[in-house]
Amino acid sequence: MTKKLCPLPWQQMVVGITGIAVPCCYRPWPEAFGNLKTEDVHSIWNGPRYVELRKAMVEGGIEAACPDCQIIPVQGIPPLMKKPEFMEDKDTPYAANMAMVEEEFSAGATTLSARPTMFTISPSGRCNIVCPHCSQHENHISKEEVGDNAWAAIRDLTPTLDYLNWGGGEPTIQPEFRRFLESGLPEQAPQLTIAMISNGLLLKQDLVRRLAGFRKTTLQVSIDAGTKEVYEKVRWPAKWEVLQRNLRDMIELERTQEGFWVVGSYTINKSNALSIVDYIALCRELGLPSSFYSVWHYPPEHRPDLFNDVDAETVGWEEEFRRAREDARRYDAEAPPTCMAPDGSLYAMTPFLERYLGIIEAGMAEASGHVRRSFSFGAACAGRFVLVRRQSDRRAVAYGTCGKDGIVTARVPMVPLRLEIWENGYLHQRIALAHCDDPLDQPEVFRMRFDEAGVSGVPVLGAEPS
């Protein structure tokens, strides 16, 4: 059987606000591939982790290299991204590099001469709002900056990039973003698709017109709600009226500006799962195409497919999802709203939404068969966050927070479990691991020993240390 290869390790680098670099954000990578704060982009690109991943991909395919990929069930394996119309002049930096990408990907090369062609960069975590399902404000991560190497990488890679995606925090308050707009770099790379994810609150007409002046710009506006009440709850202290005014101005400009795309986005989480129908109604009113996402990694308590008590956390979801599917299908039938993926392919609202809702519903169905269990870690763990995984495949199946007595209660499957004790629900500092090897033995008791600082320790009873 032919091995299925994902091209992203040969094309893409994603750099977060702490400088950590990975090939994509479609799986929880166990370790960083490098850090742009302390390394240059080319050292990371051909560093040991990238080389190791490419080798694993070539030898075993995507199933072996990335067994827990979370995008394949939704979109499938992404294709190799290229723009053939910009490869006719073989002397351009883009054409020469892309030809090398194709050659090295086909040959299964692991150390590359070709440069990345897709680059996502979040130079700063600073943002003008706080969202409960976003981890960046916790532990002051929103104050992180990548530093000078972020701009050096942008300046170096732009001539050969297909796709440059700005993340954050909020790009419109990043000095690197303003510098990019004024640098003339986009004009030196006519093949470039510039993308940005913004909350839209600072995208006033003058800035939007500058963005619309590039050959191709995809502006994704995170909305995450369909009503003023839900929006101002999940995107504090944003104002619904400001978003609506700016969004309507962007859509009006899009109608006259070729190559300028405005797309809404909705990240499904526990705080807004009952606002999807209202959001689709808003999209229909505005004629706005939309992408859908979900909280997959952290904070786990906002993940719509991971539960402490599934019955209590999903009241009304079944009816909301049924209506959302019907309304989205009706919208697609009236005037198919399309979104453009980085590779240039288009997708409609309904299939994309249905796939995510299917994954969420599968999590609900699994959790409904779980049994309520209590685990005691001792008073030293009071307030600590516990993530429960299956020991067999390390898949997350439940979460909880230890009470004052160090006991956490959650509904879990009757299988051997691995319990991870974290400093908090944003999963930035794991304290210890514990194992529940015999799920029939109840209650499970794990006595924890912490060091003098009180922030790290090891399980006393037969579990691996952190």
Side-chain angles (χ1 to χ4, degrees):
M1 185 174 65
T2 303
K3 299 183 184 71
K4 297 178 181 178
L5 304 185
C6 174
L8 294 184
W10 283 264
Q11 285 203 284
Q12 181 170 261
M13 184 182 294
V14 177
V15 179
I17 56 178
T18 60
I20 289 176
V22 294
C24 72
C25 54
Y26 299 148
R27 60 168 295 196
W29 295 100
E31 58 183 319
F33 281 55
N35 194 306
L36 197 59
K37 280 187 174 183
T38 56
E39 303 171 77
D40 68 74
V41 68
H42 300 291
S43 297
I44 299 172
W45 185 237
N46 277 315
R49 289 289 288 114
Y50 259 107
V51 171
E52 177 186 322
L53 176 63
R54 293 174 191 132
K55 182 179 179 181
M57 189 76 69
V58 170
E59 293 178 350
I62 192 168
E63 294 84 358
C66 300
D68 51 354
C69 177
Q70 294 167 333
I71 199 63
I72 291 178
V74 180
Q75 291 177 269
I77 298 176
L80 188 78
M81 179 195 276
K82 64 177 180 177
K83 295 187 174 76
E85 66 272 29
F86 289 96
M87 295 183 65
E88 295 177 3
D89 183 353
K90 301 186 186 306
D91 293 330
T92 64
Y94 173 77
N97 186 68
M98 182 54 69
M100 201 177 305
V101 170
E102 290 186 289
E103 179 182 342
E104 292 181 334
F105 178 60
S106 299
T110 58
T111 300
L112 308 182
S113 298
R115 298 147 58 94
T117 62
M118 302 163 64
F119 190 50
T120 294
I121 178 73
S122 299
S124 168
R126 287 184 291 175
C127 192
N128 53 326
I129 62 174
V130 174
C131 305
H133 60 276
C134 176
S135 68
Q136 293 176 5
H137 66 277
E138 192 74 6
N139 294 340
H140 305 291
I141 289 179
S142 60
K143 298 180 180 180
E144 289 277 358
E145 307 276 346
V146 175
D148 293 341
N149 282 358
W151 174 247
I154 294 164
R155 185 184 58 221
D156 186 21
L157 294 178
T158 293
T160 53
L161 287 178
D162 245 308
Y163 180 73
L164 174 59
N165 184 19
W166 290 87
E170 170 56 36
T172 56
I173 62 176
Q174 296 168 0
E176 292 87 353
F177 182 70
R178 294 284 183 170
R179 190 175 182 182
F180 177 76
L181 292 182
E182 297 166 0
S183 67
L185 279 171
E187 290 79 2
Q188 300 172 29
Q191 80 287 343
L192 183 64
T193 294
I194 300 170
M196 64 179 288
I197 303 172
S198 171
N199 56 47
L201 299 170
L202 301 176
L203 285 169
K204 298 179 181 179
Q205 284 192 7
D206 60 334
L207 179 55
V208 173
R209 289 187 180 278
R210 293 194 68 175
L211 289 169
F214 298 133
R215 175 188 169 273
K216 186 171 289 187
T217 303
T218 299
L219 181 54
Q220 181 172 295
V221 182
S222 299
I223 301 174
D224 295 348
T227 65
K228 173 182 172 69
E229 178 184 10
V230 176
Y231 178 78
E232 294 186 356
K233 175 184 176 183
V234 301
R235 302 188 74 79
W236 184 87
K239 297 301 180 185
W240 180 249
E241 293 78 13
V242 174
L243 171 74
Q244 293 297 302
R245 182 184 65 241
N246 290 353
L247 196 56
R248 291 169 194 272
D249 287 345
M250 291 179 229
I251 292 170
E252 184 62 32
L253 180 61
E254 179 189 38
R255 294 184 178 127
T256 61
Q257 193 73 34
E258 185 177 357
F260 180 59
W261 287 68
V262 180
V263 177
S265 77
Y266 197 101
T267 299
I268 305 171
N269 61 77
K270 288 195 177 82
S271 298
N272 66 6
L274 294 178
S275 191
I276 301 174
V277 169
D278 290 327
Y279 174 73
I280 294 171
L282 175 68
C283 291
R284 292 179 71 182
E285 175 194 346
L286 298 175
L288 180 70
S290 180
S291 54
F292 285 88
Y293 304 96
S294 176
V295 176
W296 291 133
H297 306 317
Y298 55 82
E301 66 266 39
H302 286 278
R303 275 180 54 171
D305 65 330
L306 183 65
F307 308 98
N308 179 280
D309 188 331
V310 63
D311 296 329
E313 294 176 81
T314 61
V315 175
W317 285 25
E318 184 178 354
E319 176 63 14
E320 180 77 12
F321 292 176
R322 182 191 66 77
R323 290 182 57 200
R325 284 186 170 97
E326 291 178 356
D327 290 355
R329 288 174 187 143
R330 192 176 302 117
Y331 183 23
D332 285 356
E334 292 170 358
T338 53
C339 294
M340 179 175 287
D343 65 352
S345 63
L346 301 177
Y347 54 84
M349 174 185 283
T350 301
F352 204 59
L353 172 63
E354 283 190 331
R355 290 183 184 122
Y356 276 102
L357 293 183
I359 293 171
I360 294 168
E361 288 168 332
M364 294 168 60
E366 180 184 19
S368 65
H370 293 172
V371 296
R372 200 152 185 81
R373 303 284 302 283
S374 293
F375 302 90
S376 175
F377 297 95
C381 276
R384 311 293 189 181
F385 189 89
V386 178
L387 184 65
V388 184
R389 299 183 185 271
R390 294 178 185 269
Q391 281 198 30
S392 57
D393 56 13
R394 297 291 190 262
R395 186 157 49 93
V397 293
Y399 72 90
T401 303
C402 291
K404 292 181 180 179
D405 53 5
I407 294 176
V408 61
T409 301
R411 291 176 63 171
V412 298
M414 297 294 285
V415 297
L417 301 172
R418 159 178 156 142
L419 292 87
E420 300 178 351
I421 299 90
W422 294 79
E423 182 72 12
N424 55 48
Y426 286 83
L427 306 190
H428 295 310
Q429 185 176 8
R430 191 179 70 195
I431 296 168
L433 302 177
H435 291 277
C436 172
D437 295 310
D438 184 359
L440 300 179
D441 185 16
Q442 193 173 355
E444 303 297 338
V445 179
F446 296 97
R447 299 187 183 279
M448 307 297 296
R449 174 172 54 82
F450 288 82
D451 66 13
E452 293 179 0
V455 296
S456 65
V458 295
V460 171
L461 299 179
E464 65 183 279
S466 62

